[in-house]
Amino acid sequence: MNTPLAFAYQGLPMRVVLGTGALGRLADEIDHAGLERIMVLCSPRQLELATMVAGLIGPRAVDIHPHARMHVPAESAAEAQRRAKEVNADGCVAVGGGSAIGLGKIVALRYGLPVIAVPTTYAGSEMTPVWGLTENGVKRTGRDPRVLPVSVLYDPALTVALPTDVSVTSGMNAIAHAVEALYAPDASPVINLMAEEGVRALAAALPDVAADGTDLDARARAQYGAWLCGACLGATTMSLHHKLCHALGGTLDLPHAPTHTVVLPHALAFNQGAAPKAVAALNRALGTPADPATYLWDLAGRLGAPRSLRELGMPESAIDRIVQVTLANPYANPREVTAEGLGRLLRTAWAGQPPTA
């Protein structure tokens, strides 16, 4: 006898504008949010783009803060919060990848300032109410509806300058959001549809992006996939993959997207036996009957992405420490996580060997 259908789904309240030229709608989105004093946030590398964005905003841009950093260090967050108060900002425009958007979220968390996101990568942070903050080598995360951007503008033209290697790892990072959503304890048929379509779109678009970085259609399809994958992360509980990446990033300061790229196939392989429905969905999305964990590991290799934690700068001696940090924070996962199993996963990922259960 079939189990009656039953689930809960919370839609996230935000506006999304996607397409070439979407950045030109920024002033309209600011009007829609009722903002008058905008603080533009970016990383140092995105200062030129942020300056152009401030020009589009005009007099309402009261400050450009080009100090976003990976993993949102506490001191960087405090500096941005102080600056927002100094310039009396009533909203933020975060331009760039997860670092800038993450910094905007921390400002929103402190002062409740609405955030408008202009992503230039495929990280997906812009689609979630999840914030992160790193202090004393520990990355904390939480959920708060105040940090969810009120509008997101996806303009593929803004991603053309993104190097191929960054495009690939950013896209693999987004795929990880959807993969975990497929076996999350609070998944639903709605999330499953979004996750499967997001993986399908990104896995198909990334080879085209890698072959021709100026292909705006491929870039737009990648953004579409990132949107769906990010929304999945925003609506479900994170599991082993994300908790492990947070431990690696917060403790060892490993680069965010490359770390997700390396860990994804191994965390998926670890969980596949306990998540047959997720495996079936991934097989459909990837268009292959093969093991999806191995498929994603092969895809990363074909696209020239890193496949070992060693090449990201992790010392082998840190494996036991990461096991301890990860196990210290409980999380939902379809398969029980033990020190032995996690250590085996990390050793395989560190060495760059094919993923195994």
Side-chain angles (χ1 to χ4, degrees):
M1 182 175 180
N2 292 330
T3 303
L5 183 65
F7 64 90
Y9 170 71
Q10 174 66 56
L12 299 178
M14 69 158 53
R15 290 166 56 84
V16 174
V17 180
L18 189 152
T20 302
L23 184 60
R25 298 274 299 276
L26 179 57
D28 294 337
E29 295 304 303
I30 291 173
D31 289 340
H32 189 268
L35 305 178
E36 295 294 337
R37 297 183 62 81
I38 302 296
M39 181 178 180
V40 180
L41 301 169
C42 68
S43 68
R45 292 183 179 182
Q46 294 285 12
L47 178 56
E48 183 177 353
L49 175 58
T51 301
M52 186 267 283
V53 167
L56 293 175
I57 298 171
R60 288 186 288 184
V62 296
D63 190 50
I64 299 175
H65 188 78
H67 304 296
R69 292 170 53 195
M70 186 173 62
H71 304 306
V72 194
E75 60 273 18
S76 174
E79 180 186 0
Q81 290 168 342
R82 284 194 299 269
R83 187 58 181 163
K85 185 175 182 180
E86 287 174 1
V87 300
N88 194 28
D90 64 359
C92 297
V93 170
V95 181
S99 297
I101 294 166
L103 186 59
K105 288 180 174 184
I106 289 298
V107 174
L109 187 67
R110 176 72 179 273
Y111 296 119
L113 304 187
V115 177
I116 295 175
V118 182
T120 60
T121 71
Y122 309 123
S125 172
E126 66 277 1
M127 297 307 301
T128 81
V130 177
W131 56 266
L133 185 69
T134 300
E135 187 171 15
N136 298 324
V138 178
K139 185 170 184 177
R140 295 186 293 115
T141 62
R143 289 176 180 263
D144 193 302
R146 292 176 297 171
V147 310
L148 182 73
V150 295
S151 293
V152 179
L153 285 81
Y154 289 110
D155 191 330
L158 298 182
T159 68
V160 170
L162 199 63
T164 299
D165 61 331
V166 180
S167 297
V168 169
T169 56
S170 178
M172 295 295 287
N173 177 20
I175 288 174
H177 304 331
V179 167
E180 286 223 311
L182 284 168
Y183 53 66
D186 47 1
S188 71
V190 177
I191 289 299
N192 293 344
L193 287 170
M194 295 170 66
E196 186 173 327
E197 173 66 1
V199 172
R200 184 206 61 77
L202 267 166
L206 289 178
D208 294 337
V209 168
D212 180 4
T214 65
D215 184 341
L216 291 181
D217 176 65
R219 294 279 186 181
R221 287 186 282 116
Q223 286 184 315
Y224 165 68
W227 163 24
L228 294 175
C229 292
C232 292
L233 175 66
T236 57
T237 301
M238 289 182 282
S239 299
L240 174 61
H241 170 88
H242 281 85
K243 296 297 184 179
L244 183 53
C245 288
H246 290 163
L248 289 163
T251 304
L252 303 177
D253 200 32
L254 298 188
H256 184 79
T259 300
H260 280 265
T261 300
V262 172
V263 170
L264 171 59
H266 300 279
L268 176 56
F270 182 87
N271 282 322
Q272 279 180 159
K277 291 183 179 179
V279 170
L282 289 170
N283 283 338
R284 291 191 298 269
L286 299 170
T288 176
D291 162 23
T294 299
Y295 184 94
L296 290 172
W297 190 78
D298 288 338
L299 177 63
R302 293 199 305 272
L303 299 179
R307 292 198 294 183
S308 76
L309 293 172
R310 175 172 49 190
E311 63 188 293
L312 300 184
M314 177 184 176
E316 187 175 13
S317 59
I319 289 177
D320 288 343
R321 181 183 177 195
I322 296 301
V323 168
Q324 293 171 3
V325 171
T326 305
L327 292 178
N329 297 285
Y331 43 82
N333 197 67
R335 175 183 171 186
E336 181 184 5
V337 181
T338 64
E340 180 183 359
L342 187 54
R344 184 167 57 249
L345 184 161
L346 280 167
R347 283 189 290 274
T348 304
W350 180 84
Q353 297 171 346
T356 63

